[in-house]
Amino acid sequence: MFTLYAISERPSHVVAQIIKTMIPFLHLQVRDWEYKKQKLKSLFDSSGFWNSDADEMTSDYHYKVDTGNVEKNNKEIDEILSEEIKIFLEFFNFSDYGIIITWFQTTVNGQHHPVHNHGSSGYTAICYIDYDETIHKPTQFLAPFNHFIRGDALYYDPENIKEGSLVFFPSVINHYAPPNFTKVPRTILSINFKLRSGSHNTTDEIFEKLR
């Protein structure tokens, strides 16, 4: 999460204020992971044609989009991760949701995924399926603003990522997968959600939940 600190000047004194400008991420560990991993791997193995670019990554995303088969596996993945999706919806007080598209992505031997985002609205989830925290790196996130003094880009490097980690984040946030220079595949599942708010939690309410 990124937190912005500001100082307000008033005629007779200076008041230091904390302005809670935050990026609402949620990191869960999938329950019954070994069982659910096998279900996800079965979908992975039967995912069909893969679009591979040796300089980037291997994924079935463009095959699904190009063939108009964007809903393939959506129902199955919704069922497999139903418990975690329910926690996500309740945490942010979303009243309803739909899965737009799901896809698998693998990197190996220097492959990577450059900086990108998943659109201007909704949420995205990343589930780490084949991931060795001793040799692989998690997806890196960039704040939607730079450091106000130095002008540097601000990065968020999630902690405690391991197999079975499921990270939800706003789709608009830029992110990238660092190069995997090993021969051991790093495989993730991505999910794009469309959402409807209930009486949506305020920033302060979400901040208190994350304290």
Side-chain angles (χ1 to χ4, degrees):
M1 134 190 13
F2 306 95
T3 302
L4 171 66
Y5 295 88
I7 294 178
S8 281
E9 291 192 14
R10 296 186 179 183
S12 59
H13 60 285
V14 176
V15 178
Q17 295 181 325
I18 297 177
I19 301 177
K20 300 182 183 94
T21 302
M22 51 177 287
I23 313 300
F25 290 79
L26 181 62
H27 177 191
L28 303 176
Q29 190 64 28
V30 176
R31 292 188 62 184
D32 301 319
W33 171 241
E34 290 304 321
Y35 170 74
K36 293 178 181 178
K37 178 181 179 179
Q38 292 309 310
K39 292 236 175 223
L40 293 173
K41 290 286 283 186
S42 178
L43 294 175
F44 171 87
D45 292 337
S46 63
S47 59
F49 181 81
W50 285 69
N51 179 40
S52 179
D53 185 332
D55 294 327
E56 293 190 2
M57 73 287 180
T58 302
S59 173
D60 59 344
Y61 176 84
H62 289 292
Y63 169 70
K64 287 186 172 184
V65 171
D66 292 345
T67 61
N69 198 14
V70 296
E71 295 184 358
K72 181 180 179 182
N73 296 334
N74 286 6
K75 182 178 180 181
E76 293 85 349
I77 289 170
D78 193 11
E79 292 175 353
I80 294 168
L81 298 176
S82 60
E83 184 176 1
E84 289 73 27
I85 292 172
K86 181 180 179 181
I87 293 171
F88 159 66
L89 296 173
E90 291 178 348
F91 188 87
F92 291 114
N93 200 23
F94 293 124
S95 62
D96 197 10
Y97 75 103
I99 292 179
I100 301 170
I101 185 172
T102 63
W103 68 99
F104 295 101
Q105 177 184 302
T106 296
T107 56
V108 69
N109 295 328
Q111 290 180 320
H112 67 287
H113 197 177
V115 175
H116 65 287
N117 63 58
H118 293 193
S120 61
S121 62
Y123 260 72
T124 294
I126 296 174
C127 182
Y128 292 82
I129 298 175
D130 292 319
Y131 186 84
D132 182 341
E133 60 265 34
T134 66
I135 57 175
H136 294 146
K137 294 181 179 179
T139 298
Q140 305 290 295
F141 297 90
L142 285 77
F145 47 80
N146 291 342
H147 190 284
F148 300 118
I149 305 302
R150 300 191 305 269
D152 301 339
L154 299 174
Y155 294 86
Y156 174 47
D157 183 4
E159 298 179 349
N160 303 316
I161 297 296
K162 57 185 178 180
E163 277 199 8
S165 286
L166 181 62
V167 179
F168 296 86
F169 60 95
S171 299
V172 71
I173 298 300
N174 284 329
H175 56 284
Y176 66 95
N180 174 15
F181 292 112
T182 78
K183 296 180 180 179
V184 180
R186 173 192 184 275
T187 302
I188 65 163
L189 164 70
S190 288
I191 310 171
N192 281 355
F193 294 93
K194 54 184 176 182
L195 298 157
R196 181 179 299 163
S197 295
S199 55
H200 190 70
N201 288 331
T202 66
T203 299
D204 282 346
E205 289 169 338
I206 296 175
F207 185 81
E208 288 302 317
K209 285 186 177 184
L210 296 175
R211 287 177 66 88

